[in-house]
Amino acid sequence: MNKESVGIVETKYFHIEEEIELASGKILEDVSVAYETYGELNKEKTNAILVCHALTGDAHAAGWHEGDKKPGWWEIVIGPGKALDTEKFFIICSNVLGGCKGTTGPSSINPKTGKEYGLDFPVVTIGDMVKVQKKLVDSFGITQLFAIVGGSMGGMQVLEWMVNYPKMMKKAVPIATAAMSSPQQIAFNDVGRQAIFSDPNWNKGNYYETGKVPENGLSLARMIAHITYLSDESMDIKFGRGLQDKDEISYDFSVDFQVESYLKHQGKVFVKRFDANSYLYITKAVDLFDLRVNDSLIDGFKPVEAKVEVISVDSDWLYPTEQSMEIVNSLNANELEVSFSEIKSNYGHDAFLLEKGQLNHMLSKFLSENIVEDIMMENIATIGENANIKDAATLMLDKHVTHIPVVTDDYKLIGIVTSWDVSKSIATGATHLKDIMTTTVKYCNAGDTIEEIARMMRKFDISCLPVVDEDMKVLGLITTDQISNLLS
């Protein structure tokens, strides 16, 4: 453990009281969500970033559990001073619906039977996973995430969020992913599922009480999938045609090559930490993923409002750069703000979990809060010019604010009133807002840089500025506290 780690962490659990209606029309009750958080949520609740995990990941994205030999799966980018800086952001990561790492899935107890769901668990989609994540985010009182980031299946969740909850994030980063599963991707997943089905210990999903886990089937499924996560170059560099614990070929069907031993090891380790039925459900959710509307991804992305950075890996043949470019082109067709980066690596698909330097550079550059729109408070309290001072004081107390823009009926800025103005009214005996408000108010635009606004605030000794559009309609507020937190 080092100073760049969030240190010892623990997994928490959120219970959803209401029923969850799935895309299939079926209902899930008593859903629990396993999650972890890193960093502190600011008082405006504007600094939260949701991290979405890949196919067989979990909520433990960073830090260390007591007694662990290795940290969370994305330790390379989450922590103090890293791209997902926990001194600046509040990071949330949850296990997906259908998983086996604490969130309700097929290995969970069915409240109606008192036994594990098994195949009685309904088929879920990426959309269903995101719906459950939304419940968790809402529980923090967060009305808009600063960003959502995820790779592979996590990238699919990011895209689903962008489409289904377009106002819930300022920025989005889908990494090494696709907007729909291709026939080849579906084929690989299906072969993995068939390996599990063919294991006699699978017992049609009812293996929890037998004491016999479908180890061979799940191990084989993992071996098949793991091949797709690597590249030919990475396998050649790592293994070549090297022999495993022998000097010459045995001319039988035992393990001859290092790559064979490696895959067997990966399968064996995976069986110890993952549930076979969860593997079936999660891969099926990936297969069903398709964001096209009327066979058009351009139409599918019409609801999107976030700024987007799409990242691919040049050696990834599971989710190749071509699929990332389809996302970029479809977002561009909707005149959205989108950028693209490509990780240069011989690691293949797994590069998004391994390339520390490139990932931190790309994410830091995109997530840096360099314009007003990125950190301003939205949905703020405003007041009309004909209001009295008591109305303003009451509003300040209710909303816990010290500055309130004064606006016309069509929401155009005409002044500002502060807690100091309200205090001053007591001494002067004023009762009407227009008698104390400042009419020569300084303001800024959403596209102004933070550096420009910081200089203006210092020059005029201002602690809060209204943010307006070209018609002088109020969009939000930006404060010196927000800027200080950013700069620190």
Side-chain angles (χ1 to χ4, degrees):
M1 197 185 308
N2 57 47
K3 64 181 181 180
E4 294 182 347
S5 174
V6 296
I8 300 297
V9 298
E10 62 178 25
T11 303
K12 301 174 184 177
Y13 300 89
F14 171 66
H15 182 71
I16 300 175
E17 299 292 339
E18 62 268 31
E19 297 177 339
I20 302 294
E21 183 176 355
L22 305 174
S24 64
K26 294 188 177 181
I27 301 294
L28 267 180
E29 301 176 354
D30 297 323
V31 172
S32 291
V33 183
Y35 72 96
E36 292 186 7
T37 63
Y38 322 106
E40 298 292 333
L41 185 62
N42 63 19
K43 63 181 180 180
E44 298 88 5
K45 300 185 177 182
T46 58
N47 69 328
I49 294 180
L50 178 67
V51 170
C52 303
H53 72 70
L55 188 73
T56 58
D58 53 33
H60 184 40
W64 300 75
H65 287 164
E66 289 284 0
D68 273 0
K69 295 182 179 180
K70 62 180 182 179
W73 56 267
W74 229 14
E75 176 82 356
I76 63 171
V77 296
I78 300 174
K82 299 175 186 176
L84 304 187
D85 191 343
T86 50
E87 293 181 336
K88 178 177 175 182
F89 298 116
F90 177 64
I91 312 299
I92 307 168
C93 184
S94 66
N95 186 215
V96 296
L97 182 67
C100 56
K101 293 294 185 176
T103 296
T104 301
S107 61
S108 302
I109 300 298
N110 183 343
K112 295 180 179 178
T113 66
K115 297 181 179 181
E116 291 86 352
Y117 278 101
L119 292 197
D120 287 337
F121 193 77
V123 170
V124 297
T125 65
I126 300 295
D128 294 329
M129 295 175 182
V130 166
K131 179 182 286 189
V132 168
Q133 287 172 343
K134 173 71 160 50
K135 298 283 186 184
L136 173 64
V137 171
D138 289 344
S139 74
F140 289 102
I142 297 167
T143 57
Q144 187 181 53
L145 293 157
F146 178 74
I148 304 181
V149 184
S152 193
M153 187 186 80
M156 293 180 175
Q157 294 164 57
V158 173
L159 295 172
E160 188 81 36
W161 268 95
M162 288 161 51
V163 169
N164 283 347
Y165 305 102
K167 296 186 181 297
M168 272 297 296
M169 80 293 298
K170 289 179 180 290
K171 298 184 178 184
V173 189
I175 306 171
T177 193
M180 57 187 160
S181 288
S182 70
Q184 177 177 270
Q185 291 156 355
I186 294 170
F188 276 119
N189 284 338
D190 185 55
V191 172
R193 290 193 295 269
Q194 293 301 324
I196 294 171
F197 295 153
S198 65
D199 190 318
N201 288 341
W202 180 62
N203 194 32
K204 296 183 178 179
N206 300 314
Y207 54 85
Y208 299 107
E209 296 180 356
T210 67
K212 297 180 179 180
V213 177
E215 294 183 0
N216 291 334
L218 181 58
S219 176
L220 180 56
R222 179 62 171 182
M223 290 168 67
I224 294 166
H226 202 78
I227 294 170
T228 69
Y229 304 153
L230 307 175
S231 70
D232 184 48
E233 184 180 3
S234 68
M235 295 174 81
D236 186 53
I237 292 172
K238 190 176 183 71
F239 310 111
R241 289 181 56 83
L243 300 180
Q244 181 68 29
D245 299 327
K246 58 181 66 175
D247 296 322
E248 56 185 29
I249 292 175
S250 59
Y251 294 100
D252 57 24
F253 292 103
S254 62
V255 172
D256 279 321
F257 298 101
Q258 291 175 11
V259 68
E260 295 176 277
S261 177
Y262 171 78
L263 289 174
K264 286 182 180 293
H265 171 73
Q266 290 297 323
K268 184 177 180 180
V269 170
F270 184 66
V271 166
K272 295 178 180 178
R273 71 174 183 87
F274 214 81
D275 176 62
N277 282 339
S278 273
Y279 193 85
L280 300 177
Y281 279 87
I282 295 174
T283 56
K284 189 66 177 179
V286 170
D287 291 352
L288 295 174
F289 186 65
D290 185 353
L291 289 180
R292 294 175 301 173
V293 172
N294 302 320
D295 290 326
S296 167
L297 192 53
I298 295 174
D299 288 347
F301 281 151
K302 284 191 182 300
V304 177
E305 297 183 17
K307 296 178 183 177
V308 186
E309 166 82 351
V310 179
I311 299 177
S312 71
V313 180
D314 64 349
S315 58
D316 186 351
W317 62 279
L318 178 60
Y319 293 101
T321 294
E322 288 76 13
Q323 287 184 309
S324 290
M325 289 308 303
E326 185 177 12
I327 295 170
V328 172
N329 293 335
S330 297
L331 290 169
N332 274 327
N334 283 295
E335 299 182 348
L336 294 162
E337 191 170 341
V338 56
S339 52
F340 170 74
S341 299
E342 187 177 56
I343 297 171
K344 306 298 182 183
S345 174
N346 60 29
Y347 285 127
H349 184 64
D350 269 355
F352 82 93
L353 298 169
L354 302 170
E355 290 288 0
K356 178 179 179 179
Q358 292 185 69
L359 272 170
N360 275 284
H361 173 71
M362 292 171 183
L363 290 173
S364 295
K365 183 179 179 182
F366 180 68
L367 295 175
S368 61
E369 300 165 306
N370 55 2
I371 62 172
V372 170
E373 183 181 14
D374 291 333
I375 64 171
M376 72 180 188
M377 292 181 287
E378 300 177 86
N379 302 315
I380 60 168
T382 60
I383 196 167
E385 63 177 322
N386 294 322
N388 58 48
I389 294 172
K390 183 178 179 181
D391 293 332
T394 301
L395 188 58
M396 286 180 180
L397 287 172
D398 288 345
K399 301 297 184 181
H400 304 287
V401 295
T402 57
H403 294 69
I404 302 177
V406 184
V407 298
T408 61
D409 291 340
D410 57 354
Y411 221 60
K412 291 184 178 180
L413 179 69
I414 56 173
I416 195 165
V417 61
T418 69
S419 56
W420 169 250
D421 296 326
V422 173
S423 299
K424 186 172 63 176
S425 70
I426 298 173
T428 61
T431 58
H432 296 292
L433 195 61
K434 59 185 178 182
D435 294 331
I436 63 167
M437 72 181 192
T438 300
T439 55
T440 56
V441 58
K442 300 293 182 183
Y443 58 86
C444 63
N445 301 116
D448 292 341
T449 68
I450 297 300
E451 290 78 8
E452 291 171 339
I453 299 311
R455 284 196 296 270
M456 181 193 296
M457 287 180 159
R458 287 194 299 269
K459 179 179 180 181
F460 294 102
D461 194 22
I462 297 171
S463 61
C464 182
L465 282 176
V467 184
V468 299
D469 64 13
E470 62 272 13
D471 297 320
M472 291 299 292
K473 289 186 177 180
V474 176
L475 302 175
L477 284 175
I478 185 168
T479 68
T480 50
D481 282 348
Q482 291 172 293
I483 294 176
S484 295
N485 288 338
L486 167 63
L487 296 179
S488 66

